[in-house]
Amino acid sequence: MSSSLVPRPFYDSTIDSLLGTPEIKVLVGVRRCGKSSLLELLSKRLERKGVKASNIVHLKLDSYDVPLNPDEAWLYETLTASLASADASQTAYVLLDEVQEVEHWENVVRRVNTRPDTQVFITGSNAKVLSGELATLLSGRYVEIPVFPLSYSEYSAFAQAHRWPVTSEDEIFQRYLTYGGMPALFERPFDDRDSIQKALSAIFDSIILKDIVAREGVQDVDLLSKLIRYVFSTSGNLFSTKRVVDALTSSGRRASQETIDNYLAALKTAKILEECEQVGIAGKSVLRPKRKFYAVDNGLRNLSIGFNKTRDVGFQLEAVVFNELVRRGWQVHVGCMPGKEVDFVASRNDQKAYLQVSQSVLDEGTYQREIAPLEAISDAFPKVLLVADRWRLGTTESGIEIKSVLDWLKG
């Protein structure tokens, strides 16, 4: 089964909930995370709902039959011709995939969105479409639908749909933790590690070369590559720009803090990197908050350490939990208090939760170290310790829930 045909219910329902709203719908996310497939799934759902084929205009703007240098005039003429045959008694749907391939695409999209009874959905994979420039390009008349690589629940569904020869859920989770959730991996042989690595390398290179180097005019690609490897290999640790500059200098590379910060900003714009800043707990402010960085996908992150299944497992678990919290719509920070740190403080509207992540708390010393920061928090918001094993699951006397990270990811 093609990975593009496996439903992703969370996104499918999110997209369907926006049908009929006047804004342009923009699917945003890192390259190859599945945005194009979501448009294909939408097109099929519309057909099943009785929308006539003539009322669904679905253009894949990076396909073979599109002109080599498509411009706004070509796009406008193409859409006008297609919409001329639409049934006026039904809503028309315009689905534009990889819209960045057309120069000045925004002029056409804004115009088409003013057509009566017309819904416009677009995806794009370059920084211009992913960045805050959208507000200017589309005059504020749009709504973003953030798209991420596969969640663990989606990954499990894909594995079942592709009839992977796995013997246990633990084996599926181990692969997810190591190779990440890029849908393209399901187009590769299950047991061919070299093929999987090549697929991830191709995705990584396209993000770096097309979304960062070309977009930002980066001259020192070697420095950018070294920075990415450093950030990925140290994800889960508090980040210091000065420390990075010092480390590069000691290895014979010179770079300013401004350059490093600019490169980090470009990585965030390309959606390959997410920032998690410190925040004070229990009224304690952080005068100079530090931050952690997490790759949007563990597979891309683990390219830098050779897919070592036994190295930095705790940090890999942290990254999976962080990305899942962001996917679920939480604002996530590192909790800071005197002498202690909480992995994640998650906030959403008037909700809040504190989460610690650990590979195992079977050892008493590790258990006490992980539980102490949560016990030091005096408010009544939920406090959760997520663990990869199942030895101490339950609720402590102080009300801290100890949960399996696997169960939590499926929840």
Side-chain angles (χ1 to χ4, degrees), residues 31-32 182 197-212 224-225 228-229 232 267 272 299-301 303-304:
R31 282 181 184 267
R32 303 299 303 279
M182 285 294 183
Q197 183 168 347
K198 287 177 181 177
L200 286 169
S201 295
I203 295 170
F204 181 82
D205 290 345
S206 69
I207 295 168
I208 301 307
L209 295 176
K210 295 180 180 179
D211 292 345
I212 300 176
L224 177 65
S225 298
I228 293 169
R229 285 197 297 272
F232 281 4
L267 290 167
I272 193 174
L300 297 176
R301 184 258 188 197
L303 273 173
S304 64

Side-chain angles (χ1 to χ4, degrees), residues 6-11 32-34 38 146-160 164 169 172-173 175-177 179-183 185-186 296-298 319-329 405-411:
V6 182
R8 299 180 69 177
F10 173 80
Y11 294 109
R32 303 299 303 279
C33 69
L38 290 174
V147 181
F148 297 86
L150 301 177
S151 68
Y152 175 70
S153 293
E154 292 173 328
Y155 189 84
S156 296
F158 272 54
Q160 183 176 2
W164 269 10
E169 188 171 54
I172 295 177
F173 185 55
R175 289 182 67 91
Y176 180 68
L177 202 64
Y179 299 117
M182 285 294 183
L185 298 187
F186 287 88
V296 73
D297 180 76
N298 257 18
V320 167
V321 171
F322 172 81
N323 284 318
E324 183 65 21
L325 286 168
V326 174
R327 183 183 290 111
R328 294 179 184 183
V405 67
L406 198 54
D407 292 342
W408 179 82
L409 287 168
K410 294 187 296 183

Side-chain angles (χ1 to χ4, degrees), residues 260-307:
I260 296 301
D261 284 334
N262 287 339
Y263 283 3
L264 289 171
L267 290 167
K268 289 190 293 180
T269 297
K271 305 295 185 183
I272 193 174
L273 199 65
E274 293 283 348
E275 181 177 307
C276 187
E277 190 176 79
Q278 281 181 323
V279 66
I281 297 179
K284 301 291 184 180
S285 60
V286 183
L287 295 179
R288 295 182 179 178
K290 293 183 179 179
R291 51 196 171 157
K292 295 183 179 182
F293 288 102
Y294 294 97
V296 73
D297 180 76
N298 257 18
L300 297 176
R301 184 258 188 197
N302 288 339
L303 273 173
S304 64
I305 59 173
F307 302 107

Side-chain angles (χ1 to χ4, degrees), residues 7 14 34 65 71 176-177 199 247 257 268 275 287 378 402:
T14 299
D65 56 348
D71 58 17
Y176 180 68
L177 202 64
Q257 292 192 37
K268 289 190 293 180
E275 181 177 307
L287 295 179
S378 59
I402 304 177

Side-chain angles (χ1 to χ4, degrees), residues 222-359:
D222 178 66
L223 175 61
L224 177 65
S225 298
K226 283 183 167 59
L227 174 63
I228 293 169
R229 285 197 297 272
Y230 178 87
V231 174
F232 281 4
S233 64
T234 60
S235 63
N237 292 310
L238 289 171
F239 183 89
S240 166
T241 303
K242 183 179 184 303
R243 186 180 301 168
V244 176
V245 171
D246 291 343
L248 289 168
T249 301
S250 66
S251 66
R253 292 303 313 268
R254 293 191 176 277
S256 67
Q257 292 192 37
E258 181 181 7
T259 298
I260 296 301
D261 284 334
N262 287 339
Y263 283 3
L264 289 171
L267 290 167
K268 289 190 293 180
T269 297
K271 305 295 185 183
I272 193 174
L273 199 65
E274 293 283 348
E275 181 177 307
C276 187
E277 190 176 79
Q278 281 181 323
V279 66
I281 297 179
K284 301 291 184 180
S285 60
V286 183
L287 295 179
R288 295 182 179 178
K290 293 183 179 179
R291 51 196 171 157
K292 295 183 179 182
F293 288 102
Y294 294 97
V296 73
D297 180 76
N298 257 18
L300 297 176
R301 184 258 188 197
N302 288 339
L303 273 173
S304 64
I305 59 173
F307 302 107
N308 189 324
K309 295 181 180 181
T310 61
R311 177 181 169 187
D312 298 338
V313 175
F315 289 154
Q316 293 181 55
L317 286 169
E318 266 191 43
V320 167
V321 171
F322 172 81
N323 284 318
E324 183 65 21
L325 286 168
V326 174
R327 183 183 290 111
R328 294 179 184 183
W330 294 87
Q331 298 290 321
V332 189
H333 295 85
V334 179
C336 182
M337 64 182 77
K340 298 182 178 68
E341 178 183 289
V342 175
D343 289 333
F344 302 121
V345 179
S347 304
R348 185 174 61 189
N349 300 323
D350 59 350
Q351 297 175 291
K352 182 182 287 187
Y354 304 97
L355 298 95
Q356 288 281 79
V357 184
S358 180
Q359 184 177 356

Side-chain angles (χ1 to χ4, degrees), residues 37-50:
S37 298
L38 290 174
L39 281 192
E40 289 184 23
L41 288 165
L42 171 60
S43 179
K44 294 180 183 300
R45 289 199 306 281
L46 291 172
E47 289 178 4
R48 289 197 297 270
K49 290 178 180 179

